[in-house]
Structure formats: C-alpha cells, structure tokens
Amino acid sequence: MKFMKLGSKPDLFQSEGSSVRFVSSELVTDVVVVVAGVKFYLHKFPLLSKSYRLQRLILQAGSDGTDEISLPDIPGGPMAFEMCAKFCYGMIVTLSAYNVVAARCAAEYLEMTEEVEKGNLIYKIEVFLNSSVLRSWKDSIVVLQSTKPLVPWSEELKIIGRCIDSIALKTSVDPSNVRWSYTYNKKLTASDHISEFQPKIHSVPRDWWVDDLNELDIDLYKRVMAVIKSRGSMSSDLIMEALKAYAMRWLPDSYDSLASEESMRRSKSLVETIICLLPTDNGSGFSCRFLLKLLKVVILVDAGEFLKEELMNRISKQLDKAPVKDLLIPSTQSGDTTYDVELVQSLVRRFMMKETGSRDGSYAECENRAGGLILGHVSLVSVGRLIDCYLVEIGSDPNLLLSSFVDLAQLLPDVARPTHDGLYTAIDIFLKEHPDLTKGEKKKICSLMDVKKLTPEACIHAAQNEQLPLRTVVQVLFFEQVRAAKSANGNSGSTRLTGEIEEDWAAAPTSSEHSNNTNKPLEKQLRSLKVEEDELRKREAKTSNSKENKSRGSGLLLPSRSRRIIDKFWVMGKLQNGENNRSSETSGSSQSPPASANPAAEAARTVKCSGSSSRQRRHSVS
C-alpha cells in the first residue's frame, strides 16, 4: 500500500460531540462551514488562500451579514472536506488508496487548482495517483472500489477509466515478469505437499489476477473484463476461469436466499453480466457444471428467454460432461413435478441434433463393440448413462407423469445404451412410486427395456420383482436360459440357438398373455428350449458318469421356481390349443416336458403348485 504525506504542522482538529469540529488555536474562528450536518469552526484566511469556491462563498456570506456557509453537495462528505481543510492549514494529511478518490473529488469541488496557488491539492493528488497508486496492482483495485459512492465525480475526473486501464494492462503481463503482490486462494495441489526439505520453486500462475478482481462490484467487474477481452491478449480459458471464480464468489449457495428482492436483483444482474462476457469460441475453459449453475439462477430469477436459450445451446454441446445432480433443476411451476423435466428433454433434443448432424444421422455404421462401449459414440453412451441416472433420480417423484418418463427415455437411440441396467433401475423405482398404474401403462414403460441387454445380476432382480408384468418376467427367465445354454454349448452352437429363439420371440404378438396367438409362439420357443436341454443332458451322460459332472450339467438349468413358471405356460398353452395327451406323447419326449395321462389334472396341479405360489413368493430385492 502506497502512502503520501502532505503538510508538516500537527493536527489541531478536535471534536465536540458528533456534529461539531473546530481548530484548537489562540485565534478566534470567524467562519462556520456546514457539511452534511457537521459544523466546522474555522478561520477564513487559510481557506481563502487555497480554495476558489470558498472565496466566493465567504464573500457572499459577508455581504449577507453572516459567517456561516453551507456545502451540502460536496463529494466525500465531512471526511473529505476535513482533509482539504487540513491541507489549507498546512497540517499533516496522509493520502492512501482508500481516501485519495474522496480527497481528489472534494478538491475538485472546492476548486483547489494551480490558478489559486502553485502546488495546490489537486496537483499533489494527481502526482500521487499517477506515480504511485496506478502503478500498484492492489492499490489500483482499491481505488477503483472506492469510486463506487463517487461515480459522477470520479467518472468525470477519469479516475475509473485510468484504474481500469491500469488493471487490464497488468493482467496481460507475462507471469514471469510479475513483481507485485497479488492474492491467490487456490487450494494446494498434491505436488505442493512434497517433503518440506525439498526446495520449492515459486512461480506465478497464469490466473494470478483472478482472485483480486473478485472483490469488485458487478458493474466495475463488467467494465474491467470487457477491457481485458477487447485487448485480445487473454485466452478464452483464462477468461472463463475468471468468470467462474467471480460467479462462485457471489452466486448464492442456497437458492432459498433469493427470497429477498435485493438478492434477486443482484443475482439477475450477475448472471446477465457473466453470460454477456462468455467467450464466443468453444474453448477448453467451458465447464458444463458451471453453465448449468448459471442456468439454474437464470430460471429462478427469471432473467429472460434469451439468456436461457444462450445457456441451453452451450450446455447441449457438452451434455455428456454434465453431472446428474446439476441437471436436477427445480421446477418453477407450482403443483408440477419437483424438477424441470421438460428442460432436460430440450437439452437432450439439442444434443441429438448436434450428434446426428455430425454423423449424418446414421448410427448403424459404428456399432462395433469394444469393452462395453460403442466405437465412435462415446459421448452418446455417456449421455445415455446420464439420462438413465436422471430417470432414477426423478422416478421417485409421485407427480411425474408416465408420458414424461417415457418421452425422455425414448429420446436416445439404442446405441446410447449398451446395457439396460440403469434403465431397469429407473423403471423399477417408477413402478414402486406409482402403484396405481394400469396393466397397459406398466406394459408401456417396460417396453422401453430390452431384457437381452440386462446383466445377470439385473436379471436375477427382475425375475423376483413383484412390480413387473408377468410377461416381462417370463422374457427375463427365457433369455437367462438362453444365456446359460450359450455358455454351455460354446459359440458355434449357441449362436444358432440364440438367433433362432430371439427371432421367434421378436415375432411374438404383444396382446394378452392368455390369448392363443401369444401362447403359440411361446410354446414353440419353450419346445426349442426343451430340445436343447435334453441334448445337453444326453451329452453329459455320455461324457461323464460322476456326480460332479451331473451336478455341473444340472446347474445350467433354470432354478425350480423359474422352471415352474415356464411349465405353467407350457401346459396352459397346450390346453388352449386343444392338444391331448396322445399327441404330446407322439411329439417325442425330447420336445416336450413329461406330461400325465390327464392334461387337465396336470394343468390344475401345475397352476396350484406353481402359478399361485410363484407370483406370491416373488419379491423385490432392490
């Protein structure tokens, strides 16, 4: 901090209460100067020798027969006038970055110019500003801050402009040439915690100036950053770093604090300024998390559709980098969902427009899989994972409509979800929180999920999930058996089996599970499955007679509960198709499960032992 002392006489100003100031002297005071309710009892001669305005006012007061004059509009108030009065008396006045603006504006008001006396107060303050204050980084910032209550005068005297130019010039200096003091509040990295015996090399970081500018008022900050950008010497990532630091410094941590009108006004001005200063290029400094935080504030303070659209366009370009918690933007409509789902839908649509545009709308050419990801679609897979996590978060909202859930899930193509575990979790949560869904609505939401893309762990959970429709459970069990057969038969045989059965299943009608059209393809699929199981048993019997091999072969089959569910559909399908016991016997034991002599009794026994109990015992393990 730079200082400048003016005068040499001791300070003789004294107070009498809070509204009276006087000079302790043997001479009787002969003039009273009133400044903002404070009366200064002074002597005419020292004042007349330095101030042209006081000369006129004292002369006019004498002609009116009074010794009192008033200065109601002097900038800086009583404090600034007292500094000027002390200078007139030759008393010691200490100037610093904190009071130099007030003293300069008051001296201008009192017309303490060189025409009145050489080496007057205005001249001395200008020398101090130009030779010391504006050459100091921190002093320039302090002076700029102190201009806020003196904007008309400091603007006219070009103090604000000179401070801004000084600050902008210093930010563009090569960090290796920085020799002045600055604030740097960044947390220490791991490399900074190396053994204390190792010498540390202190280097100036590229963003050394960011923290000091955070203390500026929003209007002054905007002007400083505008000049820094206009100089063209600052990279976009550094400008973004500065904007992020300022926004995080002043944006409220809790949106409950936006309840007051003043906080709403300030936050609105802040986001408008930050968005206005955002670089136009897509530099590395852009942070999706930072932009989402700005978007939340824009929506909550109702900053306008233009700013909202600007941010949404920027966010959609890097939606794959967004954390799911930052997408949980509260809904502003009363009685609606907890979070703004339509906003996220709009972001996904914009992302897909950009994604399909860059790939000419085709995804089929890049569906080669490697390590669980689809080559060429890493960002798309990331967004798929993000949206599934978002659906998990919003699925527990009882006000969330089924159409909103389905529409958001369907915005992404199949290649965005290499596995459907996340989507299944979201569906499971939604079904639990919405128990009043009809069968048709449950079927609709479960149709989003491809059971062939569920992991074995998810299949185990789904097979015992009471919320899922029975048809979905059967699909899960069916493809788990296919997966077991595939692992047992090897790649060549199992590929043929899986392909044929999946084609049959895809061709199955989507009507009620108990219709003839549904049971026919199901019977065909189960018959093929039984053939494969019997063949597997025969191979195991020929290759090994030990208990270990037998138990290993039987371990590949479905658990008894799952087998009973399939057996139930097998018998019911045969009854509804009018098949008798004789025709089932002639079809070959390898093509159908063992049946009793009475099909009706067999069906009744199966329904009683398996149909009624298996659904009751199914439970969710989530």
Side-chain angles (χ1 to χ4, degrees):
M1 179 76 64
K2 303 294 183 180
F3 298 93
M4 182 178 185
K5 286 188 176 182
L6 303 176
S8 58
K9 297 180 181 179
D11 186 357
L12 300 178
F13 271 74
Q14 297 183 10
S15 300
E16 189 175 293
S18 60
S19 60
V20 175
R21 295 282 288 167
F22 63 92
V23 177
S24 178
S25 174
E26 297 179 354
L27 299 175
V28 179
T29 60
D30 53 4
V31 65
V32 179
V33 181
V34 181
V35 180
V38 179
K39 291 185 176 182
F40 290 85
Y41 290 87
L42 306 172
H43 302 87
K44 292 180 181 179
F45 179 75
L47 302 179
L48 294 174
S49 64
K50 303 291 185 180
S51 172
Y52 186 62
R53 179 183 285 266
L54 289 178
Q55 289 179 11
R56 297 196 310 269
L57 292 176
I58 292 174
L59 180 61
Q60 182 179 354
S63 62
D64 294 339
T66 179
D67 61 352
E68 184 174 304
I69 62 176
S70 179
L71 303 175
D73 54 349
I74 182 173
M79 181 272 294
F81 175 76
E82 184 172 331
M83 285 193 296
C84 294
K86 288 179 180 180
F87 178 81
C88 293
Y89 279 91
M91 299 177 186
I92 297 176
V93 177
T94 303
L95 296 177
S96 68
Y98 290 99
N99 62 16
V100 67
V101 176
R104 176 65 180 89
C105 295
E108 187 72 21
Y109 176 87
L110 295 173
E111 301 176 28
M112 303 175 72
T113 63
E114 293 297 287
E115 287 77 7
V116 180
E117 184 181 76
K118 292 295 183 180
N120 212 340
L121 184 56
I122 292 178
Y123 171 78
K124 292 185 180 296
I125 292 177
E126 285 294 329
V127 171
F128 178 57
L129 282 172
N130 296 327
S131 63
S132 297
V133 174
L134 295 180
R135 292 190 177 185
S136 169
W137 165 254
K138 286 197 170 182
D139 285 355
S140 298
I141 295 176
V142 171
V143 169
L144 185 59
Q145 287 176 304
S146 66
T147 62
K148 183 178 179 180
L150 302 166
V151 170
W153 285 89
S154 55
E155 196 76 69
E156 183 178 349
L157 297 174
K158 296 182 172 42
I159 298 177
I160 295 179
R162 285 185 285 171
C163 289
I164 291 175
D165 290 340
S166 172
I167 293 170
L169 179 63
K170 289 178 174 60
T171 58
S172 60
V173 171
D174 189 328
S176 62
N177 296 328
V178 173
R179 299 291 182 267
W180 47 80
S181 175
Y182 60 87
T183 303
Y184 195 72
N185 293 324
K186 298 295 187 297
K187 293 181 179 180
L188 295 177
T189 59
S191 60
D192 294 323
H193 295 281
I194 302 177
S195 173
E196 59 182 16
F197 299 105
Q198 295 183 359
K200 293 184 179 180
I201 301 176
H202 296 281
S203 60
V204 178
R206 295 170 62 241
D207 59 343
W208 61 267
W209 49 274
V210 169
D211 290 323
D212 288 322
L213 295 190
N214 287 347
E215 302 305 317
L216 291 175
D217 183 76
I218 184 63
D219 296 329
L220 294 175
Y221 182 84
K222 180 179 181 180
R223 294 180 61 176
V224 171
M225 290 303 300
V227 174
I228 291 176
K229 286 183 62 179
S230 66
R231 294 178 67 88
S233 58
M234 191 66 63
S235 62
S236 296
D237 59 338
L238 271 180
I239 292 177
M240 276 297 300
E241 181 68 24
L243 296 177
K244 284 194 296 183
Y246 189 82
M248 297 304 176
R249 170 69 174 81
W250 294 109
L251 280 178
D253 295 331
S254 173
Y255 295 105
D256 295 336
S257 60
L258 293 174
S260 66
E261 183 177 350
E262 177 61 25
S263 61
M264 290 281 288
R265 183 199 63 79
R266 177 177 176 81
S267 298
K268 184 175 181 179
S269 176
L270 174 60
V271 294
E272 288 175 349
T273 298
I274 297 298
I275 296 173
C276 176
L277 293 173
L278 289 176
T280 55
D281 61 321
N282 295 327
S284 59
F286 285 85
S287 167
C288 190
R289 185 172 188 178
F290 169 61
L291 295 177
L292 281 168
K293 184 170 184 178
L294 289 180
L295 181 60
K296 288 182 182 180
V297 179
V298 165
I299 294 173
L300 291 175
V301 302
D302 193 19
E305 287 297 321
F306 177 79
L307 298 181
K308 181 179 177 181
E309 288 294 316
E310 173 68 17
L311 287 175
M312 291 181 66
N313 288 332
R314 290 176 180 269
I315 293 170
S316 63
K317 294 177 182 178
Q318 49 178 326
L319 187 60
D320 55 309
K321 300 181 179 66
V324 64
K325 65 178 182 179
D326 292 320
L327 283 180
L328 300 175
I329 300 176
S331 176
T332 56
Q333 300 179 4
S334 59
D336 202 349
T337 56
T338 304
Y339 301 110
D340 195 338
V341 182
E342 292 183 1
L343 178 70
V344 178
Q345 289 177 345
S346 179
L347 289 174
V348 176
R349 290 190 188 97
R350 296 172 193 231
F351 172 81
M352 289 306 304
M353 289 178 62
K354 183 265 298 183
E355 187 74 9
T356 54
S358 62
R359 305 183 186 280
D360 298 327
S362 175
Y363 293 99
E365 298 179 358
C366 301
E367 292 189 6
N368 297 321
R369 298 179 181 271
L373 294 179
I374 301 174
L375 299 178
H377 294 294
V378 176
S379 62
L380 188 61
V381 172
S382 298
V383 172
R385 187 183 303 111
L386 172 69
I387 297 305
D388 287 349
C389 293
Y390 181 79
L391 291 172
V392 169
E393 294 291 338
I394 66 174
S396 58
D397 184 0
N399 294 328
L400 180 64
L401 298 177
L402 174 66
S403 58
S404 298
F405 186 100
V406 173
D407 291 345
L408 180 56
Q410 289 179 334
L411 287 177
L412 296 172
D414 291 340
V415 295
R417 294 185 175 97
T419 65
H420 277 208
D421 284 17
L423 185 58
Y424 165 69
T425 303
I427 292 173
D428 180 42
I429 293 176
F430 186 88
L431 291 176
K432 289 178 180 178
E433 296 297 330
H434 299 78
D436 297 331
L437 293 179
T438 64
K439 291 183 178 180
E441 289 173 333
K442 289 185 176 182
K443 181 179 179 181
K444 181 177 182 180
I445 193 172
C446 289
S447 66
L448 298 172
M449 177 178 57
D450 186 354
V451 297
K452 296 188 296 294
K453 289 187 176 183
L454 294 179
T455 61
E457 294 78 9
C459 286
I460 293 174
H461 187 281
Q464 305 176 69
N465 195 337
E466 290 283 351
Q467 307 297 328
L468 298 180
L470 183 59
R471 180 176 177 82
T472 303
V473 175
V474 173
Q475 286 180 323
V476 172
L477 294 173
F478 179 77
F479 281 105
E480 268 300 282
Q481 186 72 352
V482 171
R483 184 180 297 169
K486 180 178 179 180
S487 62
N489 292 333
N491 292 334
S492 59
S494 62
T495 301
R496 175 193 57 78
L497 175 65
T498 304
E500 292 177 356
I501 296 180
E502 288 184 358
E503 289 178 2
D504 292 339
W505 187 274
T510 58
S511 58
S512 172
E513 288 87 354
H514 302 291
S515 65
N516 290 335
N517 292 334
T518 302
N519 288 323
K520 286 181 179 180
L522 181 61
E523 180 184 354
K524 180 180 178 181
Q525 295 149 14
L526 295 176
R527 182 181 295 112
S528 300
L529 186 59
K530 296 295 181 180
V531 171
E532 188 63 27
E533 291 178 5
D534 290 342
E535 291 177 356
L536 179 60
R537 289 173 176 172
K538 292 178 181 179
R539 285 198 300 270
E540 291 172 351
K542 292 179 181 179
T543 57
S544 175
N545 293 324
S546 65
K547 283 187 177 181
E548 180 179 358
N549 288 337
K550 291 182 180 179
S551 62
R552 186 184 302 114
S554 61
L556 295 173
L557 303 179
L558 287 172
S560 59
R561 181 189 63 80
S562 304
R563 288 292 302 275
R564 285 198 300 271
I565 293 178
I566 295 181
D567 289 343
K568 169 188 173 182
F569 277 89
W570 179 276
V571 176
M572 291 179 65
K574 294 182 67 175
L575 290 175
Q576 292 182 4
N577 290 323
E579 294 181 8
N580 54 27
N581 185 41
R582 182 179 301 275
S583 61
S584 64
E585 291 176 353
T586 58
S587 61
S589 61
S590 63
Q591 296 179 357
S592 63
S596 65
N598 190 344
E602 176 68 19
R605 183 189 64 80
T606 304
V607 172
K608 180 177 180 181
C609 297
S610 174
S612 61
S613 61
S614 62
R615 289 292 288 177
Q616 294 175 356
R617 287 199 303 267
R618 290 194 298 116
H619 61 279
S620 176
V621 297
S622 61

